[in-house]
């Protein structure tokens, strides 16, 4: 490993080999499992919100007297979700980000930087990933090999920069897709609720009490989710553009790679989670775009002299 003062990235061939070594694959398996645990808390929060958004207005239609109680339940669930469930989720995301950072450090030949408060121990990583047989099986099943697109013969510093940009850009695409899904859900359910209210002839007072009051907390939470994804996507897009511009200049300084790596780690810790269903539906097209762009950037920068 190199220190921050004299960091020199290894060759693209070495990094390509490192990312498929058993120890590296173990880290990838462990970080994915940790993210899966974090997503369970996110799923619990989302399921609760959707149940409230669907059940509460229906219950209000059928039994108007329970409308206020439905609103209270909705508010209580949002409070529980934003406190306990969100805290548990953030802790697991921190741990997953720390594991993924170890993988990057191993592949890129970097030292671990900053304070990794929630970084799991080596024993925790082994418990998460299982034995080597399980690691190989998970790596094959989840298609974890060739995690980063390295091009043989490319300049080492450029190769790291291309890999960093690929990671940031890939996440940006997922976040933008997720934000669109949230907007669709918010607008769609709002129009459905209004349409049903008009169809059955609810008065404005009844609509506010029976539909809007129980729906409002979940609606506001979904709006906040959507804004969070949009903000995270914008930040990643700016980071990807900064890396891309530096690659295009033809001079990537190793010290700048360390700065970007620290920024990427911070983004991983604070970026909202993407539901698995969206990740898997978009994975193939996102990976194809990532690999094609990475090849183009590596070719435009030239190969190592």
């Amino acid at each position: 490993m190199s220190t921050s003062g004299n960091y020199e990235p290894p060759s693209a061939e070495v990094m390509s080999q490192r990312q498929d070594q058993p120890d590296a694959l173990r880290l990838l398996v462990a970080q994915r499992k940790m993210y899966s645990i974090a997503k369970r808390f996110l799923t619990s929060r989302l399921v609760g919100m959707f149940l409230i958004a669907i059940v509460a207005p229906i219950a209000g239609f059928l039994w108007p007297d329970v409308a206020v109680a439905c609103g209270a339940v909705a508010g209580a669930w949002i409070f529980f979700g934003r406190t306990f469930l969100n805290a548990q989720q953030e802790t697991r995301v921190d741990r997953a980000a720390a594991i993924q950072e170890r993988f990057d450090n191993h592949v890129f030949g970097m030292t671990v930087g900053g304070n990794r408060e929630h970084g799991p121990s080596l024993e925790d990583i082994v418990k998460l990933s299982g034995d080597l047989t399980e690691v190989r099986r998970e790596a094959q099943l989840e298609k974890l090999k060739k995690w980063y697109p390295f091009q043989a013969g490319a300049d080492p510093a450029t190769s790291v920069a291309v890999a960093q940009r690929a990671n940031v850009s890939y996440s940006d695409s997922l976040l933008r897709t997720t934000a669109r899904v949230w907007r669709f859900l918010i607008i769609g359910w709002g129009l459905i609720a209004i349409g049903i209210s008009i169809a059955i002839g609810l008065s404005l007072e009844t609509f506010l009490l029976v539909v809007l009051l129980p729906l409002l907390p979940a609606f506001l939470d979904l709006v906040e989710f959507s804004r969070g994804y949009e903000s995270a996507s914008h930040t990643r897009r700016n980071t990807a553009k900064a890396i891309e511009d530096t690659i295009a200049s033809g001079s990537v300084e190793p010290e700048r790679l360390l700065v970007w790596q620290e920024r990427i780690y911070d983004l991983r810790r604070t970026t909202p989670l993407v539901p698995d269903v969206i990740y898997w539906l978009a994975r193939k097209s996102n990976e194809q775009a990532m690999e094609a762009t990475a090849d183009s950037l590596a070719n435009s920068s030239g190969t190592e002299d």
Side-chain angles (χ1 to χ4, degrees), residues 31-46:
Q31 64 93 10
R32 288 178 74 83
K33 288 190 174 182
M34 185 59 75
Y35 273 123
S36 293
I37 295 172
K39 288 180 182 181
R40 293 175 192 170
F41 292 99
L42 174 64
T43 300
S44 299
R45 187 175 173 184
L46 293 177

Side-chain angles (χ1 to χ4, degrees), residues 48-69:
M49 284 195 300
F50 284 124
L51 285 177
I52 290 169
I54 294 171
V55 174
I58 295 174
F61 286 139
L62 298 176
W63 304 287
D65 291 342
V66 305
V68 175

Side-chain angles (χ1 to χ4, degrees), residues 107-163:
V107 174
F108 300 152
M110 296 177 176
T111 56
V112 178
N115 179 27
R116 307 298 185 250
E117 179 182 356
H118 296 290
S121 66
L122 294 176
E123 290 80 4
D124 291 333
I125 292 174
V126 171
K127 290 178 182 178
L128 276 171
S129 59
D131 58 26
L132 285 178
T133 300
E134 177 69 10
V135 168
R136 294 190 183 96
R137 189 188 73 82
E138 287 290 326
Q140 182 70 24
L141 181 65
E142 300 288 339
K143 300 178 181 178
L144 300 181
K145 291 188 176 181
K146 300 188 183 302
W147 186 259
Y148 287 124
F150 293 113
Q151 187 178 85
D155 172 71
T158 300
S159 296
V160 175
V162 169

Side-chain angles (χ1 to χ4, degrees), residues 61 193-207 211:
F61 286 139
I194 293 172
I196 293 175
S197 301
I198 294 174
I200 64 177
L202 287 183
S203 65
L204 178 61
E205 181 181 356
T206 305
F207 172 78
V211 179

Side-chain angles (χ1 to χ4, degrees), residues 9 25 130 204 258 274 303:
L25 293 176
L204 178 61
L258 299 175
V274 174
T303 57

Side-chain angles (χ1 to χ4, degrees), residues 212-256:
L212 190 60
L213 179 62
L215 194 59
L216 189 58
F219 181 83
L220 293 176
D221 224 24
L222 284 175
V223 170
E224 186 172 313
F225 267 114
S226 180
R227 291 177 60 186
Y229 286 110
E230 288 282 8
S231 176
S233 171
H234 180 73
T235 302
R236 285 179 177 269
R237 199 174 312 137
N238 288 342
T239 302
K241 185 64 167 59
I243 298 174
E244 182 180 341
D245 289 345
T246 303
I247 294 173
S249 72
S251 178
V252 180
E253 298 176 357
E255 290 75 15
R256 187 168 294 186

Side-chain angles (χ1 to χ4, degrees), residues 89-107:
Q89 173 187 318
E90 288 181 349
T91 298
R92 270 68 178 187
V93 169
D94 254 9
R95 292 173 182 172
I99 297 174
Q100 196 166 359
E101 180 75 354
R102 287 190 186 183
F103 171 80
D104 284 355
N105 295 154
H106 172 72
V107 174

